[in-house]
Amino acid sequence: MSAPPRSSDRGRWHIERFAELDSTNRYVLDAARDGAADGLVAVADVQTAGRGRLDRTWEASAGSSLLVSVLVRAPAAPTRVVMAAGVALVRAVADAADVAAVLKWPNDVVVGERKLAGVLAEADGEAVVVGAGCNVNWAEFPPELVATATACNLEAGRPVDRDALLDAYLDELARALASGDALIADYRTHLATVGRRVRVQQVRGPDLVGVAIGVTDDGALVVRDDHDVEHTVTTADVVHLRAP
Ligand code: BT5
């Protein structure tokens, strides 16, 4: 049985902090199914089964990362909540760590081509759980991440306060969720993928290579392939390529 969480409130958010959880997304999804109110936030120092998209694993040694999930019971489409989380993370790492990051579609927070943070949204009925994992203070990465990941401390050249980053993220997320149609424009502003040559690894379908030419209001990526055919992509991984 794990220790009970420490609770606090911040604006619309009710925050529960755990030393350890299997997954903050799993915890908040279960709470949503049990009727938890909009605004529940779970934070963990470490996860034993942190999850990424498409059944992948999210790695974080104890205390190294911001691991946070929030419950949004909004009429907004889940894609809006995901966009809001991406925008909020980019702004939060700028506010709390002076790190200039951008978004790689759909929702990786990157510095250059290195991944600083990722977002995983899961829905149950009208409840949307949006989880964010952000590398905050890492001494070194495991071999499988060493070429692809970065952390706030490595970018800022100083240790970064995880609680300050959490506060900034929750404040920015509340603002982004309340921003209506401006959210889409803000998401496009932070998105580095449009205009880039990309390889799109689709979950259902072949890889595409071409140029990302836009994002729909629902957050789908529009890619013009090398045969001049346009594709609208909803679930995929994108690799930014160098221009030929
Ligand atoms: C994501 O998935 O980027 C979403 C990650 C969401 C994690 C948060 S933590 C709090 C909440 N509770 C959870 O259980 N999950 C959420 P995806 O786009 O599938 O990326 C996963 C891939 O990123 C992995 O397959 C690795 O290649 C890489 N990766 C894993 N850990 C990483 C890390 N710490 N930093 C950078 N890359 C990582």
Side-chain angles (χ1 to χ4, degrees), residues 123-138:
D124 184 60
E126 97 306 358
V128 180
V129 175
V130 63
C134 181
N135 301 325
V136 183
N137 294 309
W138 284 69

Side-chain angles (χ1 to χ4, degrees), residues 18-233:
F18 295 83
E20 179 180 308
L21 278 178
D22 53 345
S23 155
T24 56
N25 260 43
R26 195 281 308 157
Y27 176 84
V28 176
L29 261 180
D30 280 358
R33 291 182 181 123
D34 289 345
D38 173 85
L40 174 66
V41 177
V43 182
D45 285 336
V46 69
Q47 297 181 126
T48 53
R51 50 204 203 203
R53 297 179 307 131
L54 310 171
D55 284 332
R56 292 185 289 226
T57 302
W58 187 255
E59 297 184 44
S61 55
S64 67
S65 299
L66 177 63
L67 305 167
V68 55
S69 297
V70 312
L71 171 57
V72 180
R73 289 190 184 276
T79 49
R80 294 291 177 97
V81 182
V82 175
M83 284 188 220
V87 168
L89 274 171
V90 168
R91 288 178 172 159
V93 297
D95 297 349
D98 297 320
V99 172
V102 292
L103 294 172
K104 178 169 80 73
W105 189 90
N107 243 335
D108 282 356
V109 178
V110 296
V111 179
E113 297 304 323
R114 287 177 177 270
K115 185 156 168 172
L116 180 70
V119 173
L120 170 67
E122 297 176 277
D124 184 60
E126 97 306 358
V128 180
V129 175
V130 63
C134 181
N135 301 325
V136 183
N137 294 309
W138 284 69
E140 58 182 344
F141 287 106
E144 65 275 18
L145 295 181
V146 85
T148 56
T150 189
C152 291
N153 64 315
L154 303 176
E155 298 298 332
R158 62 173 170 86
V160 169
D161 183 340
R162 231 168 9 135
D163 288 335
L165 184 61
L166 173 66
D167 287 351
Y169 173 63
L170 293 177
D171 292 353
E172 294 290 1
L173 184 58
R175 189 152 75 93
L177 287 169
S179 65
D181 283 346
L183 173 61
I184 301 161
D186 290 341
Y187 177 77
R188 289 187 175 118
T189 301
H190 293 295
L191 188 67
T193 303
V194 173
R196 294 286 303 254
R197 191 164 168 75
V198 291
R199 177 180 312 112
V200 179
Q201 296 158 333
Q202 301 191 91
V203 173
R204 284 172 290 275
D207 284 10
L208 304 170
V209 175
V211 176
I213 57 172
V215 167
T216 68
D217 289 357
D218 294 329
L221 187 68
V222 184
V223 176
R224 184 183 298 127
D225 73 18
D226 290 347
H227 309 285
D228 240 8
V229 179
E230 279 186 24
H231 303 261
T232 301
V233 177

